[in-house]
Amino acid sequence: MKKIDELPENVGRIVIAGHIHPDGDCVGSCLGLKNYLSVIRPRAQVDIYLEKFSEDFGFLQGAGEVCHELPEREPYDVAFALDCSDTERLGDAVKYFTAAKRRICIDHHITNEGFSDENIICPDASSTCEVLYSLMEDSFVNRAVAECLYTGIVHDTGVFKHSNTKEETMRIAGRLITKGADPSYIIDETFYKKTFAQNKALARALDTAELWLDGAVIGSVITEKDFEELGIGSGDLDGIVDQLRVTDGVEAAVFLYEAPEGKCKVSMRANGSVDVSRIAREFGGGGHVKAAGCTVSGGWREIIDQIAGRIAEQLEH
Ligand code: 5GP
Ligand code: MN
């Protein structure tokens, strides 16, 4: 498939799924695709399955119709997996994907090995939303689609500042503004705005952060006790690892939080020569060269030690 418009005119039932813990690129790409399909294939039935996501994305068209429950369904004619580097990341929606008659994955993770029948994976693209735009006919991109895609690009580029931001990213973002996306609303309301509790969590993580490997690595942990004391949930920790990363002299930042069932969720960011996607993959996760993550069983101290060891190995070479 080179363009979404190649879908048959009479396509019937379509399912769209993204990754667990949906972020801006995941929500933006799923809703952007659905809104585009409602323009080019208005008779098709399109369902989106995602875990619950931030209410900040509630203004995007169709956000209220996303399904969070997964009842038994007849196999779909076409399934899209968006912003997902492996089938595990699809969560429970994997059952719809596996059963569908035609399966298409659209993604930009370097760790995606092509789990679908049809794979459109562009590791150089800033975001799945950027890949999606390149598969769309510009003339059919309306304001609703533009707002979704712009949101995804903003989130995965950290507001156009990460190294994945290219000339093409800016060209597409500019085009989406012309189509009606409101940059300052989307950037402030969905990216920078923090609740009081989220700011307190950031403060805790910065206050307890430590430098390792002679200042080459910064790390911090939010423990179950912190969650209780601060009255926060795991959805309140976005952006912490990015703030750690901008510390002067740091090659890599590692942020962990204690998750249920004796596991820790790890987020990693790199500045220089470290490839954090390699480390994440080794621990069963994935991502990009400069931004990756994984969920690991065990206590946070031992996990930190193991990850710091992997970073040290890379720095030595
Ligand atoms: P974050 O640290 O913001 O959760 O994720 C950074 C990047 O790594 C994102 O592109 C995300 O999709 C990917 N990532 C994070 N955690 C995991 C994981 O457990 N498995 C895989 N495959 N990718 C992950
Ligand atoms: Mn993405």
Side-chain angles (χ1 to χ4, degrees):
M1 174 184 268
K2 297 228 160 32
K3 291 276 181 189
I4 309 287
D5 304 59
E6 288 168 24
L7 281 176
E9 289 287 344
N10 61 353
V11 61
R13 295 169 59 249
I14 301 175
V15 62
I16 304 174
H19 61 76
I20 51 176
H21 310 303
D23 61 6
D25 189 32
C26 175
V27 176
S29 56
C30 290
L31 289 170
L33 177 57
K34 177 175 164 133
N35 291 328
Y36 184 76
L37 289 169
S38 76
V39 176
I40 66 158
R41 295 292 180 271
R43 287 192 301 276
Q45 179 200 324
V46 183
D47 297 332
I48 304 182
Y49 291 92
L50 286 176
E51 286 184 356
K52 292 227 165 76
F53 50 83
S54 165
E55 286 172 12
D56 296 343
F57 301 123
F59 75 98
L60 296 173
Q61 183 172 300
E65 293 140 44
V66 173
C67 312
H68 307 298
E69 305 290 324
L70 296 99
E72 290 311 312
R73 293 257 189 256
E74 285 289 297
Y76 284 92
D77 298 312
V78 182
F80 285 95
L82 301 185
D83 202 32
C84 236
S85 53
D86 55 55
T87 47
E88 231 167 80
R89 295 274 288 166
L90 280 169
D92 294 338
V94 71
K95 65 180 182 188
Y96 299 135
F97 187 78
T98 311
K101 295 170 195 158
R102 183 175 176 189
R103 294 178 280 265
I104 305 168
C105 169
I106 303 174
D107 188 27
H108 70 127
H109 290 94
I110 194 166
T111 52
N112 189 323
E113 290 170 357
F115 61 84
S116 182
D117 306 324
E118 295 171 66
N119 296 282
I120 305 164
I121 303 160
C122 307
D124 286 339
S126 66
S127 50
T128 298
C129 283
E130 184 177 324
V131 183
L132 252 189
Y133 176 84
S134 71
L135 301 171
M136 291 176 175
E137 219 43 80
D138 179 82
S139 55
F140 297 137
V141 174
N142 59 21
R143 177 174 165 178
V145 176
E147 287 176 334
C148 295
L149 299 187
Y150 189 86
T151 299
I153 294 174
V154 159
H155 278 255
D156 265 22
T157 59
V159 193
F160 309 108
K161 72 174 180 286
H162 297 330
S163 58
N164 57 2
T165 311
K166 310 272 166 57
E167 181 177 345
E168 181 66 357
T169 318
M170 301 305 274
R171 191 189 67 76
I172 294 171
R175 192 72 197 128
L176 297 173
I177 293 171
T178 303
K179 294 279 185 178
D182 178 343
S184 59
Y185 178 85
I186 291 174
I187 292 169
D188 275 346
E189 289 300 312
T190 75
F191 191 88
Y192 284 116
K193 190 181 72 183
K194 297 281 176 217
T195 63
F196 190 62
Q198 287 167 343
N199 273 331
K200 288 283 190 191
L202 172 64
R204 176 70 56 93
L206 294 180
D207 191 37
T208 56
E210 289 178 15
L211 290 172
W212 309 310
L213 305 178
D214 291 331
V217 178
I218 187 165
S220 190
V221 184
I222 291 284
T223 61
E224 273 171 19
K225 192 160 157 272
D226 293 319
F227 279 117
E228 241 169 72
E229 275 178 30
L230 298 165
I232 54 164
S234 59
D236 293 315
L237 308 176
D238 285 357
I240 290 180
V241 70
D242 300 293
Q243 189 59 43
L244 293 170
R245 178 188 71 85
V246 296
T247 308
D248 189 17
V250 152
E251 296 276 347
V254 184
F255 173 68
L256 284 82
Y257 67 81
E258 287 187 315
E261 298 169 14
K263 294 181 177 174
C264 286
K265 172 76 179 72
V266 183
S267 280
M268 292 177 279
R269 298 291 184 268
N271 281 324
S273 54
V274 178
D275 176 352
V276 286
S277 74
R278 267 171 52 198
I279 301 170
R281 203 194 314 233
E282 200 183 319
F283 288 89
H288 312 283
V289 173
K290 289 187 155 52
C294 46
T295 301
V296 187
S297 292
W300 58 265
R301 278 175 216 278
E302 55 181 291
I303 295 170
I304 279 181
D305 280 349
Q306 288 172 8
I307 287 178
R310 297 299 189 282
I311 296 173
E313 280 167 23
Q314 287 197 27
L315 288 172
E316 280 162 17
H317 289 105

